[in-house]
Amino acid sequence: MTDLVTRVAPPRAAALRRAAPALLGYVAVRALGLLVLAVWTAARGKSAYTLLTARWDALWYTRVAELGYGYEVRLPNGDVHSNLAFFPLLPWLERLLHAVAPLSYASAGFCVSLVASLAAAWGIFAVAERVYDRRAGVCAVLLWAALPVGIVQSMAYSESLFTALAAWALYAVLTGRWPAAGALAALAGLTRPVGIAVVAAVWAAGVVSFVHRRSSPDARGARAGGRAPSPLQDARRERVGSPDGAPETPRAPAVAPATPVASVVLGMVLAPLGAAGYVLWVGHRTGKGPLGYLDVQAGWRNGFDGGAAFARFVAGRFQTVPGAFAGAAIITGVALVLWLYAVCVRQRQPLPLLVYAGAVTALALCASSYFGSKPRLLLPAFPLLLPLALALARSRTSRAVLVVAGAAALSAGYGAFWLNGTGPP
């Protein structure tokens, strides 16, 4: 899981050209989703733009952008919903765009999400291409765009911004750009609480880099004056069962540790600054010390209980026949997520991707947050899609097109249905 392959990253212009098919496909899938949403909401006498920019969490973000922190709602049951629960990077960008362009805060949030979703798609392509190949990278982006909850990528929410920062942070780790990885991880930590997953990925890769340096038989030669060869430079790709000439799968691609120790240390130091800084600021603001942010989350009935509340919620679905079908669907979905993660491990994805995807999945499934939002919380866990992307890349082009087209159509329909429901996504 730590044998890795080093490839020189292509120049930015060339990289964009390589990513162009993925980005164009992404735009097409998301445009279909927005078109279906517009038609659906118009038929119901609603505004698709309002659903995307001015409901649920989007309202909380725009209030932070416009009025700052300090707003809260006290519910009849005693719960306190404070806007301190929402991390600041998206509101900061909304405020900045509102200041420089004739846009409302809500419209600014929508624009940020659209641009960030493209950046996320490019980052996912870059990671998947490095781990596998270009075709798998295109398939990974299309699958991410066509997720059932893909409509969230076009909302004034923070998922697209976070996924963009996370994907590029992981790519920076895989290519040995440690200061960039640390800076991007810090920004991800200012975007969502799950930013700690990016921090964990950077730290895990850094620790492995240090361990390898100390245990490498060439380390003594490097300390004596020569430069130890990267453990990635001698790694080679091996075919993982492709008798029909399918694309090769890297035995274990990824991180390029042949960088100065100071660079690795700098990346690891930078990585937690965003999340830690905001959490400590909230603790100071509330007067409750370093754990003050946990109290804010508790006011929203959010917390980490190992999945106990989620399990009780699912069990409660089986009290009625219609609910039993919903409960069975939820269990099937969770089983699919866990199976995909097991496949990622079996295929020996790079350690940073495994740590990141595992942390995002654990935080989504084991938190006592609003249960209807759990599919959305899994949206940034794009490494889970890489096994499916690889399988799709190995299939015939006609079959891959049919699969993506069908998934895009289902995603568009489900997204319109979901946003026109009563509860928040």
Side-chain angles (χ1 to χ4, degrees), residues 157-242:
Y157 275 32
S158 60
E159 272 76 12
S160 290
L161 178 60
F162 175 78
T163 305
L165 293 168
W168 284 109
L170 292 171
Y171 181 75
V173 170
L174 301 184
T175 54
R177 297 173 171 88
W178 290 94
L184 289 165
L187 290 174
L190 285 170
T191 308
R192 295 186 61 80
V194 75
I196 61 176
V198 189
V199 177
V202 173
W203 273 68
V207 169
V208 168
S209 176
F210 290 138
V211 170
H212 190 279
R213 287 171 188 272
R214 294 184 63 85
S215 61
S216 171
D218 297 312
R220 290 185 298 275
R223 286 194 293 269
R227 181 174 180 179
S230 164
L232 312 181
Q233 290 172 340
D234 295 328
R236 295 292 181 265
R237 290 182 160 211
E238 71 176 17
R239 195 176 294 272
V240 181
S242 51

Side-chain angles (χ1 to χ4, degrees), residues 51-368:
L51 293 178
L52 294 170
T53 63
R55 292 189 69 186
W56 305 302
D57 289 10
L59 285 175
W60 288 89
Y61 283 118
T62 56
R63 287 191 184 109
V64 174
E66 183 177 5
L67 304 173
Y69 286 104
Y71 176 80
E72 63 183 28
V73 176
R74 295 183 177 272
L75 304 183
N77 65 355
D79 289 345
V80 178
H81 289 183
S82 168
N83 64 0
L84 289 169
F86 295 86
F87 278 49
L89 185 57
L90 177 57
W92 286 348
L93 293 176
E94 290 178 345
R95 182 179 297 179
L96 176 62
L97 190 54
H98 171 76
V100 300
L103 295 171
S104 67
Y105 291 105
S107 296
F110 182 62
C111 291
V112 169
S113 290
L114 289 183
V115 174
S117 67
L118 283 171
W122 189 3
I124 291 170
F125 170 83
V127 170
E129 183 191 32
R130 185 169 184 84
V131 174
Y132 297 119
D133 55 30
R134 186 185 186 189
R135 186 178 173 93
V138 172
C139 292
V141 170
L142 295 177
L143 289 175
W144 189 68
L147 286 173
V149 295
I151 191 64
V152 175
Q153 298 163 21
S154 303
M155 298 179 69
Y157 275 32
S158 60
E159 272 76 12
S160 290
L161 178 60
F162 175 78
T163 305
L165 293 168
W168 284 109
L170 292 171
Y171 181 75
V173 170
L174 301 184
T175 54
R177 297 173 171 88
W178 290 94
L184 289 165
L187 290 174
L190 285 170
T191 308
R192 295 186 61 80
V194 75
I196 61 176
V198 189
V199 177
V202 173
W203 273 68
V207 169
V208 168
S209 176
F210 290 138
V211 170
H212 190 279
R213 287 171 188 272
R214 294 184 63 85
S215 61
S216 171
D218 297 312
R220 290 185 298 275
R223 286 194 293 269
R227 181 174 180 179
S230 164
L232 312 181
Q233 290 172 340
D234 295 328
R236 295 292 181 265
R237 290 182 160 211
E238 71 176 17
R239 195 176 294 272
V240 181
S242 51
D244 56 352
E248 292 184 349
T249 302
R251 179 169 177 269
V255 185
T259 52
V261 173
S263 180
V264 180
V265 171
L266 177 58
M268 295 178 69
V269 169
L270 289 174
L273 295 183
Y278 182 69
V279 168
L280 292 175
W281 179 81
V282 171
H284 175 75
R285 170 82 178 239
T286 60
K288 296 182 178 180
L291 301 181
Y293 183 75
L294 299 181
D295 290 336
V296 170
Q297 287 283 16
W300 287 81
R301 294 186 180 270
N302 290 340
F304 190 87
D305 62 0
F310 187 34
R312 289 194 298 270
F313 171 79
V314 175
R317 302 301 94 192
F318 289 90
Q319 296 177 359
T320 64
V321 174
F325 286 105
I330 294 172
I331 292 174
T332 302
V334 172
L336 175 61
V337 168
L338 297 178
W339 174 77
L340 284 174
Y341 187 75
V343 175
C344 292
V345 174
R346 189 166 65 248
Q347 291 185 350
R348 302 182 67 184
Q349 278 189 15
L351 180 64
L353 301 189
L354 293 177
V355 171
Y356 168 75
V360 172
T361 302
L363 290 171
L365 297 181
C366 298
S368 58

